Amino acid sequence: MHKIVVFPGDGIGPEVTAQAMRVLSRVAKLQKLDFQTEEALAGGASIDQHGVPLTPEALLKAQNSDAVFLGAVGGPKWDNLPSDKRPEKGLLGLRKGLNAFANLRPVKMFPQLESRSPLKQEIVKGLDFLILRELVSGVYFGTPRGIEKLSNGEERGFNTMAYTTSEITRIVKMAFELSRKRRKKVTSVDKANVLEVSQLWRKVVIEVAKGYPDVELHHRYVDDCAMQLIREPKQFDVIVTSNLFGDILSDESAMLTGSIGMLPSASVGDKVAMYEPVHGSAPDIAGKDMGNPLATILSVAMMLEYSFHQSQAARAVERAVEQVLQEGYRTADIYSDGTTRVSCSKMGDLVTERIH
Ligand code: NAD
């Protein structure tokens, strides 16, 4: 039996997670897999109940599970809290507590959604690459950090972007390993022309690459990469980069596919991995049954694949999503003329029904 701890979170988090769990139950039943799911609180939901974005008990539950599944956290209700009390701290605490150092974000263009991309069809047709973002270090965690008062009455905000050799080595090795299952091309993204931390990053990448002579290696500065993603995104296979750069580039990449509501992710670490959609809690549409649950449902497929090695079950989920799109069903974010607009829960029904 596999134990999954589910953090529905805030905003549309609970709405999309509910649909993903229905899909999981259906595929488990058909494939005779045994999952036990238990809900826990993180983010704003935890602040409201316990006064903190993640309790030690909730983290322990996650650490003792076989996989963690998360909707999304955050929202305007908690925006004015001090930074260590904000919902996002709960998410960072989970990632850190699970030592989930690698965030895998596949960016794949579904043929049925090509017209939804803001880019020309020929640029995005067949798009399929993977962003590997370092997740537990870099500027989001570096110290010293803070806001200090200066003697002249001004305030000064500061953070520290730092990486050690071993932190870089483990994520870069993973990039090369993953690329061997793909098109054997790694692009490392840094800002080595300006930042010392990036100069070390690049040095380690070059060292690790020596163990993978069959894989093509490219380096790109982050500003150039941001531009290349729009100019010629099909040049990429595996992009490996630091926490901050990966955060920004993966949202940019999400838009290439038409909607952030389509992209799943996996955060992989020592033992327990965490699965979540790339998008946030979408407070503007929360509570309206309007969110696109497909990113979250596709995160179930990633969980089946990476944590439970159930490729057949993972493919069954992906096929059901493709079939629903092929039949013309769309949530509001991916709707276009000539397609059928459906709610979040209806989309969940349709995918669940098509799993076989
Ligand atoms: P967001 O991803 O929540 O929303 C950006 C835009 O995309 C919104 O217009 C939203 O309606 C739309 N959108 C997002 N997901 C969608 C979906 N599944 N279906 C349809 N439309 C969707 O990002 P934001 O507005 O920058 O942040 C909102 C809150 O979420 C903030 O509190 C932020 O901190 C938090 N956040 C959480 C996570 C996470 O939990 N992993 C990630 C990013 C942002």
Side-chain angles (χ1 to χ4, degrees):
M1 196 223 290
H2 304 298
K3 215 163 68 188
I4 303 167
V5 175
V6 183
F7 292 89
D10 311 315
I12 63 164
E15 299 169 44
V16 290
T17 305
Q19 302 315 316
M21 290 302 111
R22 292 175 60 208
V23 169
L24 178 68
S25 303
R26 173 83 180 151
V27 77
K29 191 168 169 205
L30 292 179
Q31 304 267 341
K32 302 199 172 24
L33 304 170
D34 199 1
F35 295 112
Q36 185 198 65
T37 58
E38 185 186 354
E39 282 202 6
L41 298 179
S46 176
I47 295 172
D48 287 351
Q49 182 98 6
H50 303 294
V52 288
L54 183 71
T55 61
E57 295 76 27
L59 176 60
L60 195 64
K61 235 185 235 182
Q63 286 166 331
N64 289 330
S65 71
D66 297 310
V68 173
F69 200 87
L70 183 125
V73 298
K77 182 177 173 191
W78 306 280
D79 271 355
N80 295 322
L81 293 171
S83 69
D84 62 325
K85 297 249 159 50
R86 285 175 59 116
E88 293 76 9
K89 268 280 170 202
L91 184 60
L92 297 184
L94 269 173
R95 289 170 178 169
K96 191 85 179 170
L98 297 172
N99 196 23
F101 65 84
N103 187 223
L104 281 71
R105 297 183 167 195
V107 180
K108 202 173 157 188
M109 187 79 235
F110 285 90
Q112 300 86 354
L113 298 183
E114 278 162 12
S115 65
R116 286 290 311 167
S117 175
L119 297 191
K120 290 189 198 110
Q121 214 155 322
E122 69 257 29
I123 294 180
V124 293
K125 195 180 180 60
L127 192 66
D128 180 6
F129 63 91
L130 177 73
I131 296 193
L132 197 56
R133 164 189 169 194
E134 199 292 326
L135 206 57
V136 296
S137 186
V139 72
Y140 290 0
F141 292 95
T143 52
R145 61 189 297 161
I147 301 175
E148 63 184 9
K149 283 236 182 300
L150 299 180
S151 53
N152 65 2
E154 268 204 289
E155 285 185 296
R156 177 177 170 267
F158 54 97
N159 290 88
T160 304
M161 188 189 260
Y163 274 106
T164 61
T165 314
S166 60
E167 285 171 340
I168 305 168
T169 304
R170 65 184 178 183
I171 182 100
V172 172
K173 269 194 176 160
M174 189 180 278
F176 277 98
E177 292 293 336
L178 287 167
S179 82
R180 279 185 166 165
K181 296 185 189 135
R182 299 176 52 96
R183 300 193 299 280
K184 295 190 181 172
K185 186 175 171 188
V186 169
T187 305
S188 168
V189 176
D190 60 37
K191 189 71 184 167
N193 49 343
V194 180
L195 301 173
E196 283 78 3
V197 58
S198 281
Q199 286 156 15
L200 178 67
W201 178 282
R202 193 174 280 218
K203 191 171 108 180
V204 174
V205 171
I206 291 168
E207 202 48 45
V208 171
K210 289 181 186 158
Y212 299 86
D214 52 320
V215 179
E216 202 180 312
L217 171 65
H218 297 261
H219 302 276
R220 279 203 185 274
Y221 297 134
V222 61
D223 41 347
D224 177 34
C225 184
M227 188 183 71
Q228 295 297 335
L229 278 169
I230 303 295
R231 199 182 70 88
E232 198 198 338
K234 278 189 264 184
Q235 69 184 278
F236 297 111
D237 180 26
V238 176
I239 293 177
V240 62
T241 190
S242 60
N243 205 341
L244 173 65
F245 299 159
D247 193 1
I248 298 166
L249 294 179
S250 59
D251 270 26
E252 183 189 1
S253 305
M255 267 329 285
L256 302 177
T257 66
S259 171
I260 198 163
M262 292 299 299
L263 294 193
S265 84
S267 302
V268 179
D270 292 342
K271 180 178 150 278
V272 183
M274 180 160 106
Y275 300 86
E276 55 179 314
V278 166
H279 61 75
S281 59
D284 51 337
I285 55 166
K288 296 182 182 158
D289 197 17
M290 265 178 78
N292 183 347
L294 295 180
T296 319
I297 289 171
L298 290 167
S299 301
V300 166
M302 286 191 87
M303 176 169 73
L304 290 165
E305 176 90 53
Y306 288 99
S307 280
F308 304 126
H309 312 292
Q310 297 293 336
S311 300
Q312 226 179 318
R315 291 298 88 72
V317 172
E318 288 167 357
R319 269 200 314 272
V321 168
E322 274 173 41
Q323 194 182 334
V324 167
L325 293 174
Q326 189 60 34
E327 290 171 23
Y329 295 106
R330 307 281 190 270
T331 42
D333 57 309
I334 51 173
Y335 174 78
S336 55
D337 283 349
T339 61
T340 310
R341 187 169 166 157
V342 295
S343 65
C344 175
S345 49
K346 180 69 185 172
M347 187 56 105
D349 291 343
L350 292 164
V351 176
T352 307
E353 284 160 11
R354 279 152 187 77
I355 293 191
H356 43 75

